[in-house]
Amino acid sequence: MRNYRTSIALVLSLVIFLNVQRNFVAQGSAERKVHIVHLGEKQHDDPDFVTESHHQMLWSLLGSKEDAHDSMVYSYRHGFSGFAAKLTKSQAKKIADLPEVVHVIPDSFYKLKTTRTWDYLGLSAANPKNLLDETNMGAQSIIGVIDTGVWPESEVFNDYGIGPVPSHWKGGCESGEAFNSSHCNKKLIGAKYFINGFIADNESFNSTKSLDFISPRDHDGHGTHVATIAGGSYVPNISYKGLAGGTVRGGAPRSRIAMYKTCWYLDDEDIMSCSSADILKAIDEAMHDGVDVLSISLGSDVPLYGETDIRDGITTGAFHAVLKGITVVCAGGNSGPEAQTVTNTAPWIVTVAATTLDRSFATPITLGNNKVILGQAMYTGPEIGFTSLVYPETSGKSEQSFSGTCEELSVNSNLTMVGKVVLCFTTSPYSASASSAARSVKTAGGIGVIIARQPGYVIRPCLDDFPCVAVDWELGTDILLYIRSNELPVVKIQRSRTLTGQPVGTKVATFSSRGPNSIAAAILKPDIAAPGVSILAATSTNRTFNDQGFIILSGTSMAAPVISGVVALLKARHRDWSPAAIRSAIVTTAWRTDPFGEKIFAEGSPRKLADPFDYGGGLVNPEKAAKPGLVYDLGLEDYILYMCSAGYNESSISQLVGKVTACSIPKPSVLDFNLPSITIPNLKDVVTLTRTLTNVGPLNSVYKVMVEPPLGIQVTVTPETLVFNSTTKRASFKVRVSTTHKINTGYYFGSLTWGDSEHNVTIPLSVRTQILPYYYDEN
């Protein structure tokens, strides 16, 4: 059996060392408060001996066994030595002065809050000199959200302290069911709805009987949630499911929100449906109204329509919006971790992957043999003391059929579950399997469920705060072995604790769709990654689990508006930057590690180091994106050259761009498309490609090139130095790429960086050697 003591010491030490906001209650000198006493490594392997030593220390301090027993809260005796006890300030000081004590700190309350997203990304309002301050929190930017509508009563749309509506705004608020212009203000400046396409495709839809509102009002809550993340106002003291609260806000908290409702609830199918026709109309209206960024957390599944196909309303509408100077940010999809599942792949769209935060919802599970296993949950109910633990499996002689598979738990096995905690296993990546298992156990009279599943899947609270704790298969198997080796196995489940900061690692979420691009392999997708797991934001009161109107959701739907908020800040600072320049600034300055310098992993089977097909350029770094130095810019002619190189016919291109277009002969190379990335899907011998950089930094600048070549790939850049001055604002360079591989390979990854004393402008390199094409037939 593996020794867990080191890992437990590490995690429990987090409770002591986490650098998060703490609230302490003022206390008198004689008032006892819980303090954590850390004694370092255990000096004995017998946990009872360790606990006794803790009691002895308290006894010597307090003067009696009874007082020591009354003071003791926890004895940390498995992974490290320490204890929590109720002490006065003077008692805490005395015990801290003992030579064997490492340190003593007051207990603290850890908060579950989405401001963690922005603190994590370096956009803390506590810092007076950052991008938030320099842009007045995005006050002159307008974020258009195309989604399920808006719940205008939510406090995240308050306009306290927000100035006049930007002069370039030409939109308004449309009246409808339970919604009129009075619901708008200087924060929520626009709200429209588009339903005609939906009704045309769903003739049975009954608008008078539908649960949805035939207006901009949000029935589902999704639109309200993403709008909050992008640009919600400050709302303090928000709690969720009994966990400690905090301030909720968006990335650009003084930006303006315009909601365009295009998604509608189908009552008979219990799904939301969004018509391409309605989406196109919404984009069209948004272009007229004057939005600066469009945030679209919608998408389709593969196979995808071509980029010139009008059936893809998002791609087509986004193209026109980009030409009008509007940055379009889209969710990359939730079909990961399989390859080639990323959606919204057009090269004029900013496509977003989802990562976790440096946050964990640790939930201690203590077995009867005193082994502590840390599961993951959002359980905030009372501690479940030691109680029976069961795995409902059938012995060979049993006439009944019980299964330990989560999906097959049944009330027929209620004799096994009543008053017990149940262990089950699942291979499903969906949270519905956990919810179903919890429902079955609760219905059968059980009091909790431990769900063993693949690591990395999203954690959600179970209905009515029923204890449902997730562990991976390895830990689940350890628990199962304990059950099978004990006649009366028992378990204790404690409340979840929110742990933030190191060493909780950042990972690309399992569900986040992956590249390469299934439409155009030479166009890297996704472009960028942002936090999208367990994000707390506002919702409609139809969906909330509390009376405050907030909920935790996960998905690339939550990651995309993070980028939209960053774009709003960048647009406020650089009104003249094109969408391509903004995308380049975000991609070329991204973290390829987490903000603490640790490698970012990608969840899946198996977990691996993240690469550009997982997170594009990396994890967004807003502060660096504001000062990128150089950008890879694009305009209409660049997009036309791309479509010609991709093989689209001239009539399709002409239809999309609105003018007669003739492609050159020979057609241009897609590898020369001026993206902030280089992706070569079919390298056979040698290719040479071109990129052009535009200086947006100091007027007189000199940049030198640095290359991290992919494995087995030779990369040569000419020239090796770029000089910018008053007469040279743009400079081009050539990249010669060759392979040493003699066989077909998968993709290998590297990077190309132009750097000066202040900036590092980095793009990812992704190269696959293809000596023979995939479709080669040896017969």
Side-chain angles (χ1 to χ4, degrees):
M1 186 66 69
R2 205 174 54 185
N3 189 331
Y4 287 88
R5 289 167 176 162
T6 301
S7 61
I8 295 302
L10 178 64
V11 177
L12 290 179
S13 292
L14 278 173
V15 180
I16 298 172
F17 290 112
L18 284 180
N19 182 23
V20 296
Q21 182 179 355
R22 293 166 166 86
N23 290 336
F24 298 113
V25 179
Q27 55 182 321
S29 60
E31 185 179 8
R32 295 196 308 166
K33 291 289 184 180
V34 174
H35 289 72
I36 298 172
V37 181
H38 186 217
L39 302 172
E41 291 292 327
K42 294 189 285 85
Q43 302 301 312
H44 202 284
D45 288 333
D46 184 347
D48 293 332
F49 183 93
V50 175
T51 295
E52 182 59 24
S53 70
H54 298 161
H55 280 281
Q56 290 286 347
M57 183 177 287
L58 272 179
W59 182 8
S60 65
L61 174 72
L62 302 178
S64 74
K65 286 186 178 180
E66 291 75 18
D67 287 343
H69 183 271
D70 179 64
S71 174
M72 183 72 74
V73 177
Y74 288 116
S75 173
Y76 305 125
R77 58 184 191 167
H78 297 292
F80 74 107
S81 181
F83 57 90
K86 292 175 285 186
L87 303 170
T88 65
K89 284 185 176 179
S90 61
Q91 290 168 345
K93 185 179 185 306
K94 287 180 181 178
I95 208 166
D97 291 336
L98 296 176
E100 63 266 42
V101 173
V102 177
H103 57 232
V104 178
I105 64 169
D107 194 14
S108 53
F109 297 91
Y110 297 85
K111 299 184 175 183
L112 199 169
K113 50 183 183 176
T114 57
T115 47
R116 183 66 202 162
T117 298
W118 303 109
D119 290 345
Y120 172 67
L121 296 177
L123 279 180
S124 172
N127 182 356
K129 293 184 178 181
N130 64 10
L131 185 58
L132 276 178
D133 178 67
E134 293 169 356
T135 62
N136 192 20
M137 303 185 188
Q140 291 302 305
S141 293
I142 301 169
I143 302 173
V145 179
I146 297 178
D147 215 283
T148 65
V150 64
W151 196 261
E153 290 82 7
S154 174
E155 274 296 296
V156 297
F157 302 115
N158 77 73
D159 60 358
Y160 308 142
I162 295 179
V165 174
S167 59
H168 63 281
W169 175 246
K170 298 180 177 63
C173 289
E174 187 176 2
S175 296
E177 183 182 356
F179 196 98
N180 57 53
S181 59
S182 69
H183 287 109
C184 290
N185 56 21
K186 290 183 290 185
K187 178 66 178 182
L188 180 63
I189 63 174
K192 298 181 179 180
Y193 67 100
F194 306 88
I195 195 173
N196 292 348
F198 170 80
I199 289 178
D201 290 333
N202 297 276
E203 295 180 356
S204 62
F205 178 76
N206 188 327
S207 61
T208 60
K209 294 183 179 180
S210 173
L211 294 175
D212 209 338
F213 301 95
I214 312 305
S215 74
R217 183 172 289 279
D218 188 3
H219 164 76
D220 180 76
H222 187 274
T224 302
H225 200 272
V226 300
T228 304
I229 297 168
S233 295
Y234 284 91
V235 183
N237 302 321
I238 296 302
S239 63
Y240 179 77
K241 298 287 289 179
L243 293 169
T247 298
V248 170
R249 70 168 176 89
R254 287 186 182 167
S255 65
R256 319 309 169 105
I257 300 294
M259 177 59 67
Y260 301 87
K261 180 176 178 178
T262 61
C263 300
W264 302 90
Y265 181 66
L266 275 172
D267 300 73
D268 54 346
E269 298 182 36
D270 191 28
I271 60 171
M272 300 298 296
S273 179
C274 319
S275 160
S276 286
D278 293 335
I279 293 170
L280 269 173
K281 182 59 178 173
I283 295 175
D284 183 52
E285 286 288 312
M287 292 166 58
H288 164 270
D289 292 345
V291 303
D292 297 299
V293 54
L294 273 173
S295 191
I296 306 177
S297 290
L298 315 172
S300 56
D301 296 324
V302 293
L304 307 175
Y305 293 118
E307 290 137 334
T308 62
D309 195 319
I310 197 70
R311 289 175 294 180
D312 188 339
I314 293 177
T315 294
T316 304
F319 179 80
H320 296 292
V322 166
L323 293 184
K324 291 287 187 181
I326 301 168
T327 302
V328 181
V329 180
C330 292
N334 300 330
S335 299
E338 284 72 30
Q340 296 184 311
T341 52
V342 64
T343 63
N344 293 318
T345 58
W348 42 85
I349 289 173
V350 181
T351 309
V352 186
T355 71
T356 64
L357 288 162
D358 58 338
R359 181 169 64 187
S360 173
F361 302 116
T363 308
I365 301 168
T366 305
L367 304 180
N369 59 6
N370 288 322
K371 178 176 290 182
V372 178
I373 292 174
L374 285 178
Q376 292 286 309
M378 293 181 186
Y379 174 59
T380 59
E383 176 180 305
I384 298 176
F386 280 109
T387 190
S388 294
L389 174 64
V390 64
Y391 178 69
E393 60 185 338
T394 309
S395 66
K397 299 179 180 180
S398 174
E399 295 181 1
Q400 291 181 295
S401 178
F402 300 161
S403 172
T405 303
C406 295
E407 290 79 5
E408 297 180 13
L409 293 177
S410 167
V411 293
N412 292 331
S413 56
N414 57 4
L415 293 176
T416 306
M417 299 186 195
V418 171
K420 299 178 181 180
V421 174
V422 178
L423 170 69
C424 69
F425 286 74
T426 181
T427 58
S428 171
Y430 304 110
S431 60
S433 62
S435 299
S436 175
R439 188 164 49 249
S440 295
V441 171
K442 184 178 181 181
T443 301
I447 62 173
V449 61
I450 299 171
I451 299 161
R453 61 183 189 174
Q454 202 170 26
Y457 290 135
V458 172
I459 303 298
R460 291 182 179 173
C462 287
L463 190 62
D464 299 326
D465 207 16
F466 187 76
C468 56
V469 186
V471 296
D472 64 23
W473 286 329
E474 181 180 359
L475 293 176
T477 301
D478 286 341
I479 297 172
L480 178 57
L481 293 175
Y482 162 72
I483 292 172
R484 287 173 171 171
S485 62
N486 285 270
E487 291 185 7
L488 297 173
V490 293
V491 67
K492 176 173 70 174
I493 298 176
Q494 296 172 250
R495 289 168 58 103
S496 302
R497 306 171 185 175
T498 303
L499 307 180
T500 57
Q502 291 180 293
V504 180
T506 300
K507 299 172 285 293
V508 177
T510 304
F511 60 75
S512 187
S513 292
R514 309 298 211 265
N517 187 336
S518 63
I519 288 287
I523 307 301
L524 177 65
K525 292 292 174 176
D527 293 291
I528 193 69
V533 176
S534 300
I535 305 299
L536 177 62
T539 185
S540 68
T541 58
N542 295 312
R543 286 196 64 173
T544 183
F545 290 119
N546 60 41
D547 59 3
Q548 292 182 303
F550 289 79
I551 193 173
I552 287 178
L553 295 176
S554 298
T556 54
S557 283
M558 285 68 249
V562 172
I563 299 299
S564 300
V566 173
V567 170
L569 296 176
L570 295 178
K571 190 68 175 178
R573 177 164 178 162
H574 304 286
R575 296 297 301 181
D576 59 334
W577 280 11
S578 70
I582 289 175
R583 191 252 306 270
S584 175
I586 289 172
V587 171
T588 60
T589 60
W591 281 299
R592 288 186 292 163
T593 64
D594 71 10
F596 306 109
E598 296 292 335
K599 294 289 187 180
I600 297 175
F601 281 79
E603 294 282 19
S605 294
R607 179 186 292 179
K608 64 179 182 66
L609 284 175
D611 61 49
F613 293 153
D614 301 312
Y615 63 8
L619 176 65
V620 63
N621 184 341
E623 289 293 334
K624 288 288 187 181
K627 300 176 182 179
L630 306 173
V631 295
Y632 294 84
D633 210 352
L634 292 164
L636 174 60
E637 294 306 316
D638 296 291
Y639 293 122
I640 291 175
L641 287 174
Y642 160 71
M643 287 182 278
C644 288
S645 69
Y648 292 114
N649 63 58
E650 293 175 349
S651 62
S652 295
I653 299 172
S654 299
Q655 180 183 17
L656 184 63
V657 303
K659 67 176 185 179
V660 175
T661 300
C663 295
S664 62
I665 300 175
K667 71 178 183 180
S669 169
V670 68
L671 298 180
D672 289 328
F673 188 50
N674 203 42
L675 287 173
S677 60
I678 295 174
T679 306
I680 305 175
N682 298 296
L683 179 62
K684 184 176 181 180
D685 297 310
V686 179
V687 297
T688 301
L689 54 94
T690 302
R691 287 290 186 274
T692 300
L693 282 163
T694 302
N695 185 22
V696 294
L699 186 64
N700 298 303
S701 302
V702 178
Y703 287 81
K704 294 186 180 297
V705 74
M706 297 168 283
V707 177
E708 294 180 8
L711 180 67
I713 304 298
Q714 297 173 334
V715 180
T716 305
V717 179
T718 53
E720 295 182 350
T721 302
L722 296 179
V723 179
F724 298 91
N725 50 44
S726 59
T727 58
T728 304
K729 302 290 183 63
R730 291 162 55 89
S732 297
F733 62 93
K734 293 186 179 297
V735 184
R736 183 182 185 274
V737 185
S738 61
T739 180
T740 63
H741 297 290
K742 304 302 181 184
I743 61 171
N744 287 9
T745 70
Y747 280 94
Y748 291 103
F749 305 98
S751 65
L752 187 157
T753 301
W754 290 96
D756 66 0
S757 59
E758 184 179 352
H759 308 92
N760 284 308
V761 187
T762 302
I763 61 174
L765 302 178
S766 310
V767 182
R768 179 176 64 184
T769 299
Q770 291 288 286
I771 306 300
L772 297 175
Y774 276 140
Y775 50 82
Y776 178 77
D777 186 352
E778 292 183 341
N779 297 322

